[in-house]
Amino acid sequence: MIALSLAAAGVCTAAVVLSGSGSESPSVPSTCPQRWGGNDFGDWVPAAADIDGVEESLVPGSPVETLICAYPADSAHPGGERLTGSRTLTDQTAAMARDLAYLPVTTAKINRPCTAMGGQIANYLIRFAYPDGRALWVGSAEEVNQCVRTTNGTVGSNAYTGSAITAAYKDGIWRSVPPDDPCWSPGDRKGQDKLMVPGRPGRLTVCRDATYTRPPYRKRHGRDVARALAETLNSLNTVPSQNLCQGIGGAHERGIRLIFDYPEGPAAVVTISMDCIPAINNGLLQANLDDRVRDQILRLAPS
C-alpha cells in the first residue's frame, strides 16, 4: 500500500448504482462511462483534461468534488468491464487530491517486475471537478499484485493507490494505513523522476534487507544526515530506471533501503542492491554505486 499523508475530515457522500448514461461533453464526460475502455488494469481515462499542471501532477490545483466509478474486472480477461456503481465525495476531495498530487509522475512507461497472482481486481475512474466547471479524470485499479499504472491521461505513476481508492469508494473516506514498520514504506514521492531524493527530507531511516529481522536491522538519523546523504545521491549520474540490475558474481551483501521522511507528504525511498549493477534505484532513476557512496551508506547502516 502507499503511505500517504491523509487528513481525517468530515464526510459528505452519496452512493448509487447506475443503470443509464448521462450527458457527455466532447472532452471530459460529466458522468461515469458505462464501460471501462482500457485493456489493462488502470492506465486509462475517457479523455485527458486541458488543465494547467497536468504535465507535472496527477491532480493539479484544488478540485471540490470527486466522483468514483467502479468497474470490477476479471484478471484473465481484462478490458470492457461494465460500470457497477459510483460514489460522490465532497469533504474528502481536498485530501484525496493532495495525496495523489504528491505521487511521482512520468510520461514514460516504466518497466518493473510483477508477480502474477490471481485475486481481487477492480478498475476505477475518478472524476475531479473544479470550481470553474472544468474536470479531470484519473484512472487506476486495485490489483492483488499492486502492479498498476495510475494516469490522468497525460502523465502516469507506478505508485500503488488501489487499496486507498477502494476504501474511499466503499466507505466514503479517503485514508490509508501506514506500514507497521517504516522499512516497508513504498516511498513514492513527486520529483523522483528528476532527483534520486527530491526536496528537503527531515529524517532518514536506514534499513537492512527486509528478510533480515533480527535487531538491529534499522537505524534512524536526523535532518542533517538525511540531507547530506540526499545531496550525495543527487550528485550521481542517473538513467531512467528499468527496475532491473545485473548480479555481481560472488557478491552476497545484504541490500539496504533508505527511507527519507518529510514534514509533509510521503517518504522517498532509495534501494541499494550491493551485489547488483546498477545498484541504486528509486523506481524512476538508477545510478551506479561507487566506493565513496558505499562507504557513506555503510557508516549509516545498522551493524
Side-chain angles (χ1 to χ4, degrees):
M1 295 174 64
I2 55 173
L4 298 176
S5 170
L6 303 178
V11 184
C12 178
T13 66
V16 297
V17 175
L18 303 181
S19 58
S21 61
S23 60
E24 295 183 357
S25 66
S27 56
V28 179
S30 60
T31 61
C32 298
Q34 292 299 300
R35 285 187 179 271
W36 178 260
N39 294 318
D40 298 311
F41 304 126
D43 200 22
W44 177 76
V45 294
D50 184 16
I51 292 177
D52 290 343
V54 291
E55 299 88 355
E56 292 84 32
S57 173
L58 283 174
V59 186
S62 301
V64 294
E65 186 176 86
T66 304
L67 172 67
I68 304 175
C69 313
Y71 305 83
D74 179 352
S75 59
H77 304 92
E81 290 80 13
R82 289 182 178 274
L83 174 71
T84 59
S86 70
R87 181 180 285 272
T88 299
L89 310 178
T90 54
D91 290 351
Q92 300 292 290
T93 295
M96 191 174 186
R98 180 198 64 225
D99 291 334
L100 292 178
Y102 266 123
L103 300 180
V105 295
T106 179
T107 56
K109 294 294 182 78
I110 302 298
N111 294 327
R112 54 178 170 165
C114 296
T115 55
M117 296 184 292
Q120 184 177 8
I121 297 170
N123 288 311
Y124 291 104
L125 284 174
I126 309 165
R127 186 181 190 272
F128 290 94
Y130 291 81
D132 62 2
R134 294 180 302 166
L136 171 145
W137 285 104
V138 170
S140 191
E142 181 181 28
E143 197 265 330
V144 65
N145 302 289
Q146 299 189 7
C147 214
V148 170
R149 188 170 187 264
T150 299
T151 184
N152 64 10
T154 301
V155 293
S157 177
N158 282 349
Y160 183 65
T161 63
S163 300
I165 296 172
T166 293
Y169 172 68
K170 290 182 176 179
D171 304 330
I173 300 174
W174 175 254
R175 62 172 179 262
S176 180
V177 179
D180 294 333
D181 188 331
C183 291
W184 288 96
S185 172
D188 297 302
R189 188 175 178 91
K190 185 178 178 180
Q192 286 187 284
D193 60 319
K194 298 180 176 65
L195 289 173
M196 195 65 70
V197 184
R200 295 170 62 80
R203 187 175 65 179
L204 168 68
T205 303
V206 183
C207 305
R208 285 292 190 178
D209 192 307
T211 61
Y212 182 74
T213 57
R214 284 186 303 141
Y217 67 96
R218 69 180 180 224
K219 189 174 182 180
R220 287 183 170 172
H221 303 274
R223 181 190 64 187
D224 292 345
V225 172
R227 292 181 181 176
L229 182 56
E231 183 177 357
T232 296
L233 294 173
N234 289 338
S235 70
L236 301 175
N237 293 324
T238 61
V239 296
S241 178
Q242 298 299 310
N243 289 301
L244 297 171
C245 61
Q246 182 176 356
I248 302 172
H252 300 288
E253 291 187 72
R254 287 183 286 117
I256 288 175
R257 296 188 92 222
L258 306 173
I259 319 294
F260 293 89
D261 289 305
Y262 297 78
E264 294 182 359
V269 170
V270 178
T271 61
I272 313 294
S273 302
M274 294 291 192
D275 55 358
C276 220
I277 297 175
I280 304 173
N281 184 20
N282 73 358
L284 291 172
L285 299 174
Q286 286 181 292
N288 290 323
L289 178 68
D290 59 31
D291 291 340
R292 172 182 64 94
V293 179
R294 178 193 295 267
D295 291 345
Q296 184 176 356
I297 292 172
L298 289 178
R299 286 195 300 270
L300 301 175
S303 302

Short mmCIF file of all heavy atoms in Angstrom, two decimals, residues 248-299:
data_model
loop_
_atom_site.label_atom_id
_atom_site.label_comp_id
_atom_site.label_asym_id
_atom_site.label_seq_id
_atom_site.Cartn_x
_atom_site.Cartn_y
_atom_site.Cartn_z
N ILE A 248 26.31 -9.35 -9.49
CA ILE A 248 27.77 -9.45 -9.47
C ILE A 248 28.14 -10.82 -8.93
O ILE A 248 27.76 -11.19 -7.82
CB ILE A 248 28.37 -8.35 -8.58
CG1 ILE A 248 27.96 -6.97 -9.08
CG2 ILE A 248 29.90 -8.48 -8.54
CD1 ILE A 248 28.35 -5.85 -8.15
N GLY A 249 28.84 -11.59 -9.71
CA GLY A 249 29.21 -12.94 -9.30
C GLY A 249 30.02 -12.97 -8.02
O GLY A 249 30.96 -12.19 -7.85
N GLY A 250 29.60 -13.83 -7.09
CA GLY A 250 30.34 -13.99 -5.84
C GLY A 250 30.01 -12.98 -4.76
O GLY A 250 30.49 -13.09 -3.64
N ALA A 251 29.18 -11.99 -5.07
CA ALA A 251 28.82 -10.97 -4.08
C ALA A 251 27.55 -11.40 -3.34
O ALA A 251 26.58 -11.85 -3.95
CB ALA A 251 28.59 -9.62 -4.76
N HIS A 252 27.57 -11.28 -2.02
CA HIS A 252 26.43 -11.71 -1.21
C HIS A 252 26.13 -10.69 -0.11
O HIS A 252 25.81 -11.06 1.01
CB HIS A 252 26.69 -13.09 -0.61
CG HIS A 252 26.91 -14.16 -1.63
ND1 HIS A 252 25.90 -14.67 -2.42
CD2 HIS A 252 28.06 -14.79 -2.01
CE1 HIS A 252 26.41 -15.59 -3.24
NE2 HIS A 252 27.70 -15.68 -3.01
N GLU A 253 26.24 -9.42 -0.41
CA GLU A 253 25.95 -8.39 0.59
C GLU A 253 24.45 -8.14 0.66
O GLU A 253 23.76 -8.09 -0.36
CB GLU A 253 26.66 -7.09 0.23
CG GLU A 253 28.17 -7.14 0.37
CD GLU A 253 28.78 -5.77 0.17
OE1 GLU A 253 28.61 -4.92 1.07
OE2 GLU A 253 29.39 -5.55 -0.88
N ARG A 254 23.96 -7.96 1.88
CA ARG A 254 22.54 -7.67 2.05
C ARG A 254 22.21 -6.27 1.54
O ARG A 254 22.98 -5.34 1.69
CB ARG A 254 22.15 -7.79 3.52
CG ARG A 254 22.11 -9.23 4.01
CD ARG A 254 21.64 -9.32 5.45
NE ARG A 254 22.67 -8.88 6.38
CZ ARG A 254 22.53 -7.83 7.18
NH1 ARG A 254 21.43 -7.12 7.15
NH2 ARG A 254 23.50 -7.49 8.01
N GLY A 255 21.03 -6.16 0.94
CA GLY A 255 20.60 -4.88 0.41
C GLY A 255 20.22 -3.91 1.52
O GLY A 255 20.04 -4.28 2.68
N ILE A 256 20.09 -2.64 1.14
CA ILE A 256 19.76 -1.57 2.08
C ILE A 256 18.66 -0.72 1.46
O ILE A 256 18.66 -0.47 0.24
CB ILE A 256 21.00 -0.70 2.38
CG1 ILE A 256 21.98 -1.49 3.26
CG2 ILE A 256 20.61 0.60 3.07
CD1 ILE A 256 23.29 -0.76 3.51
N ARG A 257 17.71 -0.31 2.29
CA ARG A 257 16.67 0.65 1.86
C ARG A 257 16.87 1.94 2.64
O ARG A 257 17.03 1.92 3.86
CB ARG A 257 15.26 0.12 2.11
CG ARG A 257 14.91 -1.10 1.31
CD ARG A 257 13.42 -1.43 1.48
NE ARG A 257 12.62 -0.80 0.44
CZ ARG A 257 11.45 -0.21 0.62
NH1 ARG A 257 10.94 -0.09 1.85
NH2 ARG A 257 10.78 0.30 -0.38
N LEU A 258 16.85 3.04 1.94
CA LEU A 258 16.98 4.36 2.54
C LEU A 258 15.61 5.04 2.50
O LEU A 258 15.07 5.28 1.42
CB LEU A 258 17.99 5.20 1.77
CG LEU A 258 19.39 4.57 1.58
CD1 LEU A 258 20.23 5.43 0.65
CD2 LEU A 258 20.08 4.36 2.92
N ILE A 259 15.05 5.32 3.67
CA ILE A 259 13.72 5.93 3.77
C ILE A 259 13.89 7.39 4.17
O ILE A 259 14.27 7.69 5.31
CB ILE A 259 12.83 5.21 4.81
CG1 ILE A 259 13.00 3.70 4.73
CG2 ILE A 259 11.38 5.66 4.66
CD1 ILE A 259 12.51 3.07 3.46
N PHE A 260 13.65 8.31 3.25
CA PHE A 260 13.76 9.73 3.52
C PHE A 260 12.36 10.28 3.84
O PHE A 260 11.49 10.30 2.96
CB PHE A 260 14.35 10.47 2.32
CG PHE A 260 15.78 10.12 2.04
CD1 PHE A 260 16.11 9.06 1.22
CD2 PHE A 260 16.81 10.87 2.60
CE1 PHE A 260 17.44 8.74 0.95
CE2 PHE A 260 18.14 10.57 2.34
CZ PHE A 260 18.46 9.50 1.52
N ASP A 261 12.15 10.69 5.09
CA ASP A 261 10.86 11.24 5.50
C ASP A 261 10.87 12.76 5.40
O ASP A 261 11.93 13.41 5.50
CB ASP A 261 10.54 10.82 6.94
CG ASP A 261 10.21 9.34 7.04
OD1 ASP A 261 9.32 8.89 6.32
OD2 ASP A 261 10.87 8.64 7.83
N TYR A 262 9.65 13.33 5.26
CA TYR A 262 9.48 14.77 5.09
C TYR A 262 8.45 15.28 6.09
O TYR A 262 7.61 14.52 6.57
CB TYR A 262 9.01 15.07 3.66
CG TYR A 262 10.01 14.68 2.60
CD1 TYR A 262 10.16 13.34 2.22
CD2 TYR A 262 10.80 15.63 1.99
CE1 TYR A 262 11.07 12.98 1.24
CE2 TYR A 262 11.71 15.28 1.00
CZ TYR A 262 11.84 13.95 0.64
OH TYR A 262 12.75 13.60 -0.32
N PRO A 263 8.49 16.58 6.40
CA PRO A 263 7.47 17.14 7.30
C PRO A 263 6.05 16.93 6.78
O PRO A 263 5.12 16.79 7.57
CB PRO A 263 7.83 18.63 7.36
CG PRO A 263 9.30 18.68 7.03
CD PRO A 263 9.51 17.58 6.04
N GLU A 264 5.87 16.90 5.45
CA GLU A 264 4.56 16.66 4.85
C GLU A 264 4.72 15.71 3.68
O GLU A 264 5.72 15.73 2.97
CB GLU A 264 3.93 17.97 4.36
CG GLU A 264 3.57 18.95 5.46
CD GLU A 264 2.90 20.20 4.93
OE1 GLU A 264 2.74 20.30 3.69
OE2 GLU A 264 2.53 21.06 5.73
N GLY A 265 3.70 14.90 3.46
CA GLY A 265 3.68 14.03 2.30
C GLY A 265 4.44 12.74 2.51
O GLY A 265 5.03 12.49 3.56
N PRO A 266 4.43 11.88 1.49
CA PRO A 266 5.04 10.55 1.61
C PRO A 266 6.55 10.58 1.61
O PRO A 266 7.18 11.58 1.22
CB PRO A 266 4.50 9.83 0.37
CG PRO A 266 4.30 10.92 -0.63
CD PRO A 266 3.83 12.11 0.17
N ALA A 267 7.13 9.49 2.02
CA ALA A 267 8.58 9.33 2.02
C ALA A 267 9.09 9.13 0.60
O ALA A 267 8.34 8.77 -0.31
CB ALA A 267 8.97 8.15 2.90
N ALA A 268 10.38 9.35 0.43
CA ALA A 268 11.09 8.96 -0.79
C ALA A 268 12.02 7.82 -0.42
O ALA A 268 12.77 7.92 0.55
CB ALA A 268 11.88 10.13 -1.36
N VAL A 269 11.96 6.73 -1.15
CA VAL A 269 12.76 5.55 -0.84
C VAL A 269 13.77 5.30 -1.95
O VAL A 269 13.45 5.42 -3.14
CB VAL A 269 11.85 4.31 -0.66
CG1 VAL A 269 12.69 3.03 -0.59
CG2 VAL A 269 11.02 4.45 0.60
N VAL A 270 14.98 4.97 -1.53
CA VAL A 270 16.04 4.57 -2.45
C VAL A 270 16.55 3.21 -2.01
O VAL A 270 16.87 3.02 -0.84
CB VAL A 270 17.20 5.60 -2.45
CG1 VAL A 270 18.31 5.12 -3.38
CG2 VAL A 270 16.70 6.98 -2.86
N THR A 271 16.59 2.25 -2.93
CA THR A 271 17.10 0.93 -2.60
C THR A 271 18.54 0.80 -3.10
O THR A 271 18.88 1.29 -4.18
CB THR A 271 16.24 -0.18 -3.22
OG1 THR A 271 16.25 -0.04 -4.64
CG2 THR A 271 14.81 -0.09 -2.71
N ILE A 272 19.35 0.12 -2.30
CA ILE A 272 20.75 -0.13 -2.64
C ILE A 272 20.94 -1.64 -2.72
O ILE A 272 20.89 -2.34 -1.71
CB ILE A 272 21.72 0.46 -1.60
CG1 ILE A 272 21.32 1.91 -1.24
CG2 ILE A 272 23.15 0.38 -2.10
CD1 ILE A 272 21.46 2.89 -2.36
N SER A 273 21.15 -2.15 -3.92
CA SER A 273 21.41 -3.58 -4.12
C SER A 273 22.92 -3.76 -4.25
O SER A 273 23.49 -3.57 -5.32
CB SER A 273 20.69 -4.08 -5.38
OG SER A 273 19.31 -3.86 -5.29
N MET A 274 23.54 -4.10 -3.13
CA MET A 274 25.01 -4.11 -3.06
C MET A 274 25.65 -5.08 -4.05
O MET A 274 26.79 -4.89 -4.45
CB MET A 274 25.44 -4.45 -1.65
CG MET A 274 25.07 -3.40 -0.62
SD MET A 274 26.02 -1.89 -0.85
CE MET A 274 25.65 -1.01 0.68
N ASP A 275 24.94 -6.15 -4.42
CA ASP A 275 25.53 -7.17 -5.29
C ASP A 275 24.96 -7.09 -6.70
O ASP A 275 24.80 -8.10 -7.37
CB ASP A 275 25.31 -8.56 -4.70
CG ASP A 275 23.83 -8.85 -4.42
OD1 ASP A 275 23.00 -7.95 -4.65
OD2 ASP A 275 23.53 -9.97 -3.97
N CYS A 276 24.64 -5.87 -7.15
CA CYS A 276 23.99 -5.70 -8.44
C CYS A 276 24.46 -4.42 -9.11
O CYS A 276 24.88 -3.47 -8.43
CB CYS A 276 22.47 -5.64 -8.21
SG CYS A 276 21.48 -6.50 -9.43
N ILE A 277 24.38 -4.36 -10.43
CA ILE A 277 24.73 -3.18 -11.20
C ILE A 277 23.59 -2.88 -12.17
O ILE A 277 23.18 -3.76 -12.92
CB ILE A 277 26.03 -3.39 -11.98
CG1 ILE A 277 27.21 -3.62 -11.04
CG2 ILE A 277 26.32 -2.18 -12.87
CD1 ILE A 277 28.51 -3.95 -11.78
N PRO A 278 23.04 -1.64 -12.21
CA PRO A 278 23.30 -0.53 -11.28
C PRO A 278 22.66 -0.80 -9.93
O PRO A 278 21.57 -1.37 -9.84
CB PRO A 278 22.67 0.67 -11.97
CG PRO A 278 21.58 0.08 -12.82
CD PRO A 278 22.06 -1.26 -13.27
N ALA A 279 23.33 -0.36 -8.86
CA ALA A 279 22.92 -0.73 -7.50
C ALA A 279 21.88 0.20 -6.91
O ALA A 279 21.13 -0.21 -6.01
CB ALA A 279 24.16 -0.76 -6.60
N ILE A 280 21.82 1.45 -7.36
CA ILE A 280 20.98 2.46 -6.72
C ILE A 280 19.73 2.68 -7.55
O ILE A 280 19.81 2.90 -8.77
CB ILE A 280 21.75 3.79 -6.55
CG1 ILE A 280 23.05 3.54 -5.76
CG2 ILE A 280 20.89 4.83 -5.85
CD1 ILE A 280 23.95 4.76 -5.68
N ASN A 281 18.55 2.64 -6.91
CA ASN A 281 17.29 2.71 -7.65
C ASN A 281 16.22 3.36 -6.78
O ASN A 281 16.05 2.98 -5.62
CB ASN A 281 16.85 1.30 -8.05
CG ASN A 281 15.61 1.28 -8.92
OD1 ASN A 281 15.26 2.28 -9.54
ND2 ASN A 281 14.93 0.15 -8.95
N ASN A 282 15.51 4.34 -7.33
CA ASN A 282 14.36 4.90 -6.61
C ASN A 282 13.04 4.59 -7.30
O ASN A 282 12.00 5.14 -6.96
CB ASN A 282 14.52 6.42 -6.42
CG ASN A 282 14.30 7.22 -7.70
OD1 ASN A 282 14.07 6.66 -8.78
ND2 ASN A 282 14.37 8.54 -7.60
N GLY A 283 13.08 3.68 -8.26
CA GLY A 283 11.88 3.30 -9.00
C GLY A 283 11.72 4.03 -10.32
O GLY A 283 11.09 3.52 -11.24
N LEU A 284 12.30 5.24 -10.42
CA LEU A 284 12.25 6.01 -11.65
C LEU A 284 13.64 6.34 -12.19
O LEU A 284 13.79 6.60 -13.38
CB LEU A 284 11.47 7.31 -11.43
CG LEU A 284 9.97 7.15 -11.19
CD1 LEU A 284 9.35 8.48 -10.79
CD2 LEU A 284 9.27 6.58 -12.41
N LEU A 285 14.63 6.34 -11.31
CA LEU A 285 16.01 6.60 -11.69
C LEU A 285 16.92 5.52 -11.12
O LEU A 285 16.65 4.98 -10.05
CB LEU A 285 16.48 7.97 -11.17
CG LEU A 285 15.74 9.22 -11.66
CD1 LEU A 285 16.25 10.46 -10.92
CD2 LEU A 285 15.91 9.40 -13.17
N GLN A 286 18.00 5.23 -11.83
CA GLN A 286 19.03 4.32 -11.35
C GLN A 286 20.39 4.97 -11.49
O GLN A 286 20.60 5.84 -12.32
CB GLN A 286 19.00 3.00 -12.13
CG GLN A 286 17.82 2.10 -11.78
CD GLN A 286 17.83 0.80 -12.53
OE1 GLN A 286 17.64 0.79 -13.75
NE2 GLN A 286 18.04 -0.31 -11.84
N ALA A 287 21.34 4.51 -10.65
CA ALA A 287 22.70 5.02 -10.69
C ALA A 287 23.65 3.94 -10.18
O ALA A 287 23.25 3.03 -9.44
CB ALA A 287 22.84 6.29 -9.84
N ASN A 288 24.90 4.06 -10.57
CA ASN A 288 25.91 3.14 -10.09
C ASN A 288 26.40 3.53 -8.70
O ASN A 288 26.37 4.71 -8.32
CB ASN A 288 27.10 3.10 -11.06
CG ASN A 288 26.74 2.42 -12.37
OD1 ASN A 288 25.99 1.45 -12.39
ND2 ASN A 288 27.29 2.94 -13.47
N LEU A 289 26.85 2.54 -7.96
CA LEU A 289 27.34 2.73 -6.60
C LEU A 289 28.86 2.70 -6.61
O LEU A 289 29.46 1.66 -6.91
CB LEU A 289 26.78 1.63 -5.69
CG LEU A 289 27.22 1.63 -4.23
CD1 LEU A 289 26.64 2.83 -3.51
CD2 LEU A 289 26.76 0.33 -3.55
N ASP A 290 29.49 3.84 -6.29
CA ASP A 290 30.94 3.84 -6.21
C ASP A 290 31.38 3.69 -4.75
O ASP A 290 30.56 3.70 -3.84
CB ASP A 290 31.54 5.11 -6.84
CG ASP A 290 31.05 6.39 -6.19
OD1 ASP A 290 30.74 6.38 -4.97
OD2 ASP A 290 30.97 7.42 -6.88
N ASP A 291 32.69 3.54 -4.54
CA ASP A 291 33.20 3.27 -3.19
C ASP A 291 32.89 4.41 -2.23
O ASP A 291 32.60 4.18 -1.04
CB ASP A 291 34.71 3.03 -3.24
CG ASP A 291 35.07 1.71 -3.93
OD1 ASP A 291 34.17 0.84 -4.01
OD2 ASP A 291 36.21 1.56 -4.39
N ARG A 292 32.92 5.64 -2.72
CA ARG A 292 32.66 6.80 -1.85
C ARG A 292 31.24 6.74 -1.30
O ARG A 292 31.02 6.91 -0.08
CB ARG A 292 32.87 8.08 -2.65
CG ARG A 292 32.44 9.37 -1.94
CD ARG A 292 32.65 10.56 -2.85
NE ARG A 292 31.82 10.50 -4.04
CZ ARG A 292 30.62 11.08 -4.16
NH1 ARG A 292 30.12 11.76 -3.13
NH2 ARG A 292 29.94 11.00 -5.28
N VAL A 293 30.27 6.49 -2.16
CA VAL A 293 28.88 6.44 -1.72
C VAL A 293 28.63 5.20 -0.88
O VAL A 293 27.91 5.24 0.13
CB VAL A 293 27.93 6.48 -2.94
CG1 VAL A 293 26.48 6.41 -2.49
CG2 VAL A 293 28.19 7.73 -3.77
N ARG A 294 29.23 4.07 -1.28
CA ARG A 294 29.09 2.84 -0.49
C ARG A 294 29.56 3.05 0.94
O ARG A 294 28.86 2.68 1.90
CB ARG A 294 29.89 1.72 -1.14
CG ARG A 294 29.84 0.40 -0.35
CD ARG A 294 30.89 -0.56 -0.87
NE ARG A 294 30.62 -0.96 -2.23
CZ ARG A 294 29.92 -2.05 -2.56
NH1 ARG A 294 29.45 -2.83 -1.61
NH2 ARG A 294 29.71 -2.35 -3.82
N ASP A 295 30.71 3.68 1.11
CA ASP A 295 31.25 3.89 2.46
C ASP A 295 30.34 4.81 3.27
O ASP A 295 30.10 4.58 4.47
CB ASP A 295 32.66 4.48 2.38
CG ASP A 295 33.69 3.50 1.84
OD1 ASP A 295 33.36 2.28 1.82
OD2 ASP A 295 34.78 3.94 1.44
N GLN A 296 29.81 5.85 2.64
CA GLN A 296 28.92 6.77 3.35
C GLN A 296 27.66 6.05 3.81
O GLN A 296 27.21 6.25 4.95
CB GLN A 296 28.57 7.95 2.44
CG GLN A 296 27.73 9.02 3.11
CD GLN A 296 27.46 10.22 2.21
OE1 GLN A 296 27.98 10.28 1.09
NE2 GLN A 296 26.67 11.17 2.69
N ILE A 297 27.09 5.20 2.97
CA ILE A 297 25.88 4.48 3.34
C ILE A 297 26.16 3.45 4.43
O ILE A 297 25.40 3.33 5.40
CB ILE A 297 25.27 3.81 2.09
CG1 ILE A 297 24.74 4.87 1.12
CG2 ILE A 297 24.14 2.84 2.49
CD1 ILE A 297 24.31 4.33 -0.22
N LEU A 298 27.24 2.72 4.30
CA LEU A 298 27.53 1.68 5.30
C LEU A 298 27.81 2.27 6.67
O LEU A 298 27.52 1.65 7.70
CB LEU A 298 28.73 0.84 4.82
CG LEU A 298 28.44 -0.08 3.63
CD1 LEU A 298 29.70 -0.82 3.22
CD2 LEU A 298 27.34 -1.06 3.97
N ARG A 299 28.37 3.49 6.72
CA ARG A 299 28.58 4.13 8.02
C ARG A 299 27.25 4.44 8.71
O ARG A 299 27.19 4.51 9.95
CB ARG A 299 29.40 5.42 7.85
CG ARG A 299 30.88 5.20 7.57
CD ARG A 299 31.66 6.47 7.78
NE ARG A 299 31.23 7.56 6.91
CZ ARG A 299 31.73 7.80 5.70
NH1 ARG A 299 32.68 7.00 5.22
NH2 ARG A 299 31.29 8.82 4.99
#
